[in-house]
Amino acid sequence: MRRLFGSVRARAAIGATLVVAVAMVAAGLALLWVLRVNLTEQTDLQAEVGAQDVASQVALGKAFKDLDLPDDRVVQVVSEGGRVLAVSEDLESVEGAGSAQVRVGGAEPAADEDGEDDPGRGEVSDDEPKLSGGSAVVDGEQADYRFAAVDATTPQGQTVTAYAGAPLSAEQGAVGSVTDAMLIGLPAMLAVVGGVTWLVTRRALRPVEGIRKEMAAITASEDLSRRVPEPDAHDEVARLARTTNETLGALEVSVERQRRFVADASHELRSPIASLRTQLEVGAAHPELLDVEGAVRDTVRLQAVAADLLLLARLDAGERPGQAHVDVGLLVREEVSQRSDRLPVMVKVTDGLEVAGSRGQLARVLGNLLDNAQRHAGGSVEVWVHGDRGDVLLMVADDGAGVPEAERERVFERFVRLDDARSRDDGGAGLGLAIARDVALRHGGTLTVGEGERGGALFTLRLPAA
């Protein structure tokens, strides 16, 4: 039961049914109230017309015993003292007709004092008729009525009150019929609303269930190349499916990149470790053959690769650069002065250009670019720093063979070497440019490569000025 009512379909159906139920009950009550008011007003009008008619006859001087009383209404004419002067046929008692709550009790109505029609003329009161509710017993049957009371004066100056009552049976019957119809129709309507909502919701959520099943299958199979079905629509479910597929695509690329990274890292680490182990084993067996310089080189190379891998791992984990202000020109001068490169580095910088970020990471970018330039340069390496439209540009150029245009994006991939003919010791691990671009991106900048004035490679680091 909990599982059934915990579904979206069940909640949607129950919610829609409750909303419709509340709306229909409110609308039904309003309809009944309006119907009751309208029918009551019509009944009051009938009673008022009857009372006005009887009062007019009294004002014209017609004898009480000769009054023409309407058959469809109960009428009684009462004097100021409460004496019944005229009454409808078969009327036995009246209750609630204004202040004149009298009981006829079958008594004969009183006659005029002179017993004859008077040729004079009285008058009917201009006051609004007094309306009230009550009941009357006619021929042994009691029913509810609406009464109207109109005062009139006979030609002899006697003041009487004419009461006329119109039955509420029509109003009560109409209201009862409408109430019965609503009580019968409301459950049926709610059943239809609940059923339709259930079916429509199930149809709308069918693609979601397909997405869920496919995601469960992908999770079980660990095959990130699979995709969830995309509905041929432009609604929220279709957008969910497209976003899910985009997420799966990004996850597949990330996992594949991670696998490739692990494989390449294992391969890069295997060579120096194997070489170092071989040299140590030979040195242990034949100390005179120990190549200390080679062991040191392998150890340094292993240390450099491990440091690069650790930095890449931190960057992939989302490590954020600091917000310290770094003077790029000063950073270039300090880093270049501490290097002992095989080729001189010409420096042309503009002082006072600062960027926000990590000095250590930016120094690592500069070092990687200089290492790459030194590795490929023919005779010289140049470094420039200057401002450009609110940015700070750091450019490193060499006079080597340059980077082919088709390879200018590939060089920033991890473990990529364009100089495969060289030895691994000379060519590096293929991580320096990848690290440089990752650091540039995390500092809100870019790192691109083009062709320098002397035909060599020109690496341009663009960072927003602090």
Side-chain angles (χ1 to χ4, degrees), residues 158-200:
Q158 181 183 6
T159 301
V160 299
T161 301
Y163 290 95
L168 288 171
S169 57
E171 180 263 346
Q172 293 173 346
V175 172
S177 299
V178 173
T179 302
D180 293 341
M182 292 177 58
L183 291 178
I184 295 174
L186 180 60
M189 178 64 70
L190 294 180
V192 171
V193 170
V196 171
T197 304
W198 176 277
L199 294 176
V200 171

Side-chain angles (χ1 to χ4, degrees), residues 281-305:
E281 288 177 349
V282 170
H286 305 282
E288 70 279 2
L289 299 179
L290 177 62
D291 184 5
V292 178
E293 294 183 0
V296 171
R297 285 196 304 270
D298 287 338
T299 303
V300 170
R301 173 174 168 75
L302 182 61
Q303 183 181 12
V305 173

Side-chain angles (χ1 to χ4, degrees), residues 347-406:
V347 177
K348 298 178 182 179
V349 301
T350 302
D351 295 327
L353 297 178
E354 294 184 342
V355 297
S358 168
R359 188 189 187 284
Q361 292 185 9
L362 294 177
R364 186 65 174 273
V365 172
L366 175 61
N368 289 351
L369 294 179
L370 290 174
D371 289 341
N372 182 77
Q374 289 282 344
R375 188 178 299 119
H376 297 89
S380 65
V381 176
E382 296 181 345
V383 179
W384 296 279
V385 175
H386 64 86
D388 180 48
R389 295 174 296 179
D391 294 334
V392 178
L393 299 184
L394 188 157
M395 296 181 291
V396 178
D398 61 68
D399 57 354
V403 180
E405 186 173 356

Side-chain angles (χ1 to χ4, degrees), residues 239-322:
R239 291 196 291 271
L240 171 64
R242 286 192 291 271
T243 303
T244 302
N245 284 334
E246 292 172 0
T247 303
L248 287 173
L251 183 60
E252 181 184 12
V253 172
S254 177
V255 171
E256 183 61 29
R257 182 181 180 183
Q258 189 68 21
R259 289 173 180 171
R260 202 164 54 242
F261 176 80
V262 172
D264 292 338
S266 300
H267 183 70
E268 292 294 332
L269 292 173
R270 186 182 298 114
S271 296
I273 291 176
S275 176
L276 181 60
R277 177 179 178 179
T278 300
Q279 295 181 48
L280 293 177
E281 288 177 349
V282 170
H286 305 282
E288 70 279 2
L289 299 179
L290 177 62
D291 184 5
V292 178
E293 294 183 0
V296 171
R297 285 196 304 270
D298 287 338
T299 303
V300 170
R301 173 174 168 75
L302 182 61
Q303 183 181 12
V305 173
D308 288 344
L309 292 175
L310 290 175
L311 178 57
L312 283 174
R314 293 201 307 271
L315 295 176
D316 289 342
E319 179 179 315
R320 297 289 181 179

Side-chain angles (χ1 to χ4, degrees), residues 229-241:
E230 294 187 13
D232 186 16
H234 300 282
D235 55 8
E236 291 82 356
V237 177
R239 291 196 291 271
L240 171 64

